[in-house]
Amino acid sequence: MSELPAADATTRVFLVDDHEVVRRGLRDLIDDEPDMEVVGEAATTAQALARGPALRPDVAVLDVRLPDGDGISVCRELRSRMPEVACLMLTSFDDEDALLDAIMAGAAGYVLKQIKGSDLVSAVRTVATGQSMLDPATTARLMHSLRDPEAAKPPEDERLAALSERER
């Protein structure tokens, strides 16, 4: 079982997003909170894997799509090196496959960038305490498609027949 931050401890947050303006906005939101601090940032997968373990964050906020890879791989690698870190995926893309991959990689949360700032801060707090935080609409669609895979399939097009289900 992972250790949770003490009630009076500051939650250490690591930001990974390829857009500087997003990182700056996240830093402003998080650093305004008395119980949180941003301990570092990265714009690429390589930077995240080099900096993250050295910073020992409690929470890593990860963009799903990065220029040299993806945040899901970063999540998997960070969690293998630091099982106690909680990964919160933050993405523009409402993608069921990415949500499932993130969960399988060990992410504690998955939220869309359309989230309100106060809700994002709450999501960071939620995953920092060992709980899960998943975007409700994406999760509902994923659960529906898992329960009824036939309903989620698009009409068959012979051009798509050669592709796997995931490629489609």
Side-chain angles (χ1 to χ4, degrees):
M1 177 130 200
S2 65
E3 290 184 28
L4 304 176
D8 60 346
T10 300
T11 300
R12 298 169 50 83
V13 182
F14 179 51
L15 306 174
V16 181
D17 195 292
D18 55 323
H19 295 100
E20 178 196 13
V21 71
V22 172
R23 290 192 316 273
R24 290 179 97 180
L26 291 171
R27 177 180 282 278
D28 288 348
L29 273 172
I30 292 166
D31 281 345
D32 277 350
E33 298 299 315
D35 60 333
M36 295 183 196
E37 73 171 313
V38 174
V39 294
E41 300 178 14
T44 65
T45 299
Q47 289 174 353
L49 295 177
R51 296 176 184 167
L55 296 169
R56 308 303 293 176
D58 300 307
V59 176
V61 179
L62 308 167
D63 190 1
V64 171
R65 296 188 180 168
L66 297 167
D68 61 340
D70 61 79
I72 295 167
S73 300
V74 172
C75 172
R76 186 177 294 109
E77 184 63 27
L78 289 178
R79 300 253 318 130
S80 75
R81 295 183 195 179
M82 304 177 300
E84 68 283 359
V85 72
C87 293
L88 176 63
M89 308 308 297
L90 179 64
T91 182
S92 300
F93 304 97
D94 188 3
D95 180 350
E96 295 168 34
D97 289 333
L99 170 60
L100 187 56
D101 290 345
I103 291 168
M104 297 307 291
Y110 188 97
V111 295
L112 301 178
K113 286 184 178 175
Q114 295 92 314
I115 193 169
K116 291 181 185 174
S118 59
D119 291 339
L120 179 65
V121 168
S122 294
V124 171
R125 282 194 182 100
T126 297
V127 300
T129 62
Q131 299 175 64
S132 297
M133 178 66 209
L134 302 175
D135 176 70
T138 308
T139 304
R141 272 197 327 285
L142 174 62
M143 291 174 66
H144 178 69
S145 67
L146 289 173
R147 289 181 184 133
D148 188 6
E150 289 302 313
K153 284 188 178 178
E156 193 60 41
D157 179 334
E158 61 186 61
R159 294 174 293 174
L160 300 177
L163 300 176
S164 72
E165 187 172 317
R166 182 170 177 95
E167 290 169 327
R168 278 191 291 265

